[in-house]
Amino acid sequence: MSPLQALLNSEAGLLVTLPLALIVLSVIVFFHELGHFCAARRFGVHVKEFAIGFPPRLKSVLRGGNAYAAVRLTPGPINVDGRLVRLWSGDPAANLARTVVVLDGDGAYLRADAAHAAASLAAGLVVAAPLSSDDATVLAEMSIPVVVVERADASAMLTDAAGREAFIETYRDADGQDQARVRIGATRYALNALPLGGYVRMTGESGEFDAPGSFTTRPAWQRGVILLAGPLMNVLLTPLFFLVAAMIADVTGSVVAGVVPDSPAAQAGLRAGDQLLRIGERDIVSPVDVRDAVRVAAGREVTIVVQRQGLEHKVVATPRRNPPPGQGSLGIQLRATVGPAPIHVAVPRALQRTGDALLLLPRVVGEAIAGTQPLELAGPVGIVQTVGMAAQQGLEIVFILAAFLTAQIGLLNLAPWPGLDGGRLIFVLVELFTGHRVPPRREAAFHFVGIVVLLTLVLFVTVGDVQRIAGT
């Protein structure tokens, strides 16, 4: 028993099972979202956020976009975000919640507009220089972050920020001094507190439909590629997991465990403990290879190569076409040997098992529809339990389970359900075939309802998992 298996079977097993399951799910989700992210960037779609897990955020960094140097007026840490807009004097109805407001530092109504913005729960103020020392003193007392930028930069910001988020942030320079900047069009890479999923948030998915870099402004075929890229990454990840599992531990050979007296194997001189290397023209790696090779050679002489005490031996036997019950054509019992599979064996096995994994979900759904097998659903809690059970059998079983999980997640995302990649693809296909597009705002509402229903289903399945586990 490996140290991991021993720990998992101890009283502290849950302390290992839960992080292990979360790691498996996070890796699968990461590659799925990475597919969407890379495709979106390839077609010029602005990605607002790439996150693993769901908020609240634990850690995040901003990368890319355009950065404008700023001077900070208000004390304390600054890290706010929102969409840049201009606040016009005398517009008390403006909704400025979570916005970064750009004001003219030389404007006659600077203080009034700043007070209006603060009262409207704006995220921050960007003031175009120059501004008087008296105005600077007043703004420094504001309840929201205030920074000052060059006038040319302020004008550029208003153009640059169309449909994109702006971030006011602080950083420490090489001399250890606190500095500020306004970054527009950046991508936030976030690690969130609830590690059960992840997401890529693109401009134009639920608003800002006509903004530059919006998902909805791209041609239908490009949107289709972006949507397909996530499930495709799951499919590509599946053989990699199977490959790693095979190289950790897999069936690497077949050993003769026993020989039936007077059988073809006994007459040929095979002994218990012989490792089968080749039967006829077929190399032997697993008991399945032995079965197939013997079936082909039934009724005729075949050369069998074995390894005995470190040396190769060749014997000749004639497998029986109609052996006595329970004896087999050669008359041997087999025992599989287990160990790290060589790469030339692991690769074809990984590809074959990938095909089996991709056919599993359609077969299960088909059996459920036909009524031959019930359809069993598992939520996050059920997946954690399954990963724990797999880990108790060995690390290679965890990778095999991960391979099946990523294959099924990829296929499930292609289901024509609103909010899933497959549901979004339906709208793309309708547009490609009819030449008419459903209004983006109406489509976004449709997907929102689908996600709400899906999350409700996940909640019910999770409750069922808890009840089932508690009852065992």
Side-chain angles (χ1 to χ4, degrees):
M1 180 181 293
S2 70
L4 175 63
Q5 291 173 277
L7 183 60
L8 288 166
N9 284 283
S10 69
E11 294 182 356
L14 182 62
L15 298 178
V16 179
T17 297
L18 184 59
L20 183 62
L22 295 179
I23 290 172
V24 169
L25 287 174
S26 296
V27 169
I28 293 172
V29 170
F30 171 80
F31 279 95
H32 178 93
E33 300 301 337
L34 182 64
H36 291 312
F37 174 82
C38 292
R41 293 286 293 267
R42 173 64 180 83
F43 293 124
V45 174
H46 175 227
V47 178
K48 295 180 178 181
E49 186 173 6
F50 186 139
I52 297 299
F54 291 99
R57 294 192 187 112
L58 295 177
K59 181 71 174 177
S60 70
V61 295
L62 295 172
R63 292 290 183 269
N66 297 323
Y68 301 89
V71 176
R72 182 174 57 176
L73 291 185
T74 48
I78 299 177
N79 189 5
V80 296
D81 60 275
R83 182 180 173 189
L84 274 172
V85 298
R86 179 180 292 279
L87 171 63
W88 294 103
S89 175
D91 183 10
N95 180 13
L96 301 176
R98 292 188 55 77
T99 62
V100 177
V101 181
V102 179
L103 298 178
D104 185 354
D106 200 25
Y109 301 100
L110 172 62
R111 297 186 190 183
D113 288 345
H116 179 194
S120 301
L121 301 178
L125 288 179
V126 177
V127 181
L131 75 162
S132 68
S133 58
D134 289 341
D135 287 338
T137 300
V138 172
L139 293 178
E141 301 297 327
M142 300 294 294
S143 60
I144 58 176
V146 182
V147 296
V148 179
V149 300
E150 295 295 331
R151 179 168 294 273
D153 285 346
S155 299
M157 286 180 190
L158 292 172
T159 301
D160 190 20
R164 301 200 289 174
E165 287 182 329
F167 302 86
I168 301 177
E169 56 181 344
T170 54
Y171 65 98
R172 185 157 293 178
D173 62 18
D175 298 326
Q177 300 297 314
D178 287 335
Q179 304 290 344
R181 63 188 164 206
V182 180
R183 190 186 294 272
I184 300 174
T187 298
R188 183 187 290 276
Y189 299 87
L191 179 63
N192 293 333
L194 302 178
L196 294 175
Y199 55 89
V200 166
R201 191 162 58 93
M202 295 179 285
T203 297
E205 281 190 300
S206 56
E208 305 157 349
F209 300 114
D210 298 325
S214 171
F215 173 78
T216 55
T217 62
R218 294 300 178 264
W221 72 270
Q222 291 185 4
R223 283 182 278 124
V225 172
I226 293 172
L227 294 171
L228 283 171
L232 178 61
M233 286 295 285
N234 288 122
V235 172
L236 295 177
L237 188 61
T238 302
L240 180 61
F241 279 144
F242 278 128
L243 179 64
V244 173
M247 296 182 72
I248 293 174
D250 207 332
V251 175
T252 57
S254 296
V255 174
V256 177
V259 178
V260 177
D262 297 325
S263 66
Q267 295 170 6
L270 288 177
R271 304 176 187 173
D274 287 348
Q275 182 174 356
L276 296 168
L277 301 180
R278 191 178 308 110
I279 298 178
E281 300 298 322
R282 189 183 186 99
D283 292 331
I284 303 302
V285 178
S286 69
V288 174
D289 297 327
V290 177
R291 180 198 64 195
D292 294 342
V294 170
R295 182 187 300 118
V296 171
R300 61 182 178 85
E301 286 189 349
V302 64
T303 300
I304 302 174
V305 181
V306 301
Q307 186 177 59
R308 182 183 300 163
Q309 297 178 346
L311 299 175
E312 285 192 8
H313 295 270
K314 293 183 178 180
V315 299
V316 177
T318 303
R320 296 170 292 196
R321 293 185 182 276
N322 298 299
Q327 290 193 14
S329 297
L330 276 178
I332 57 175
Q333 291 88 43
L334 296 175
R335 172 173 55 84
T337 58
V338 177
I343 190 68
H344 70 277
V345 172
V347 169
R349 284 186 181 177
L351 295 177
Q352 177 185 354
R353 290 166 181 171
T354 296
D356 295 337
L358 293 175
L359 291 174
L360 176 63
L361 183 61
R363 184 171 68 248
V364 169
V365 173
E367 291 175 349
I369 294 174
T372 57
Q373 290 290 339
L375 182 61
E376 297 182 3
L377 300 176
V381 174
I383 292 175
V384 169
Q385 182 195 34
T386 305
V387 171
M389 295 171 60
Q392 291 175 355
Q393 301 176 55
L395 188 59
E396 71 279 6
I397 307 300
V398 175
F399 278 98
I400 291 174
L401 176 60
F404 277 99
L405 280 176
T406 188
Q408 307 321 308
I409 287 175
L411 292 176
L412 283 172
N413 268 278
L414 290 176
W417 184 272
L420 296 180
D421 296 328
R424 296 177 184 273
L425 279 169
I426 294 296
F427 285 84
V428 173
L429 293 174
V430 168
E431 181 180 347
L432 285 172
F433 282 107
T434 66
H436 299 287
R437 182 174 184 177
V438 176
R441 194 171 302 278
R442 186 176 301 173
E443 180 184 344
F446 185 74
H447 293 311
F448 175 77
V449 173
I451 289 295
V452 171
V453 174
L454 186 62
L455 291 177
T456 303
L457 175 62
V458 171
L459 177 62
F460 278 108
V461 172
T462 301
V463 171
D465 286 340
V466 173
Q467 293 175 336
R468 174 178 53 80
I469 294 172
T472 57

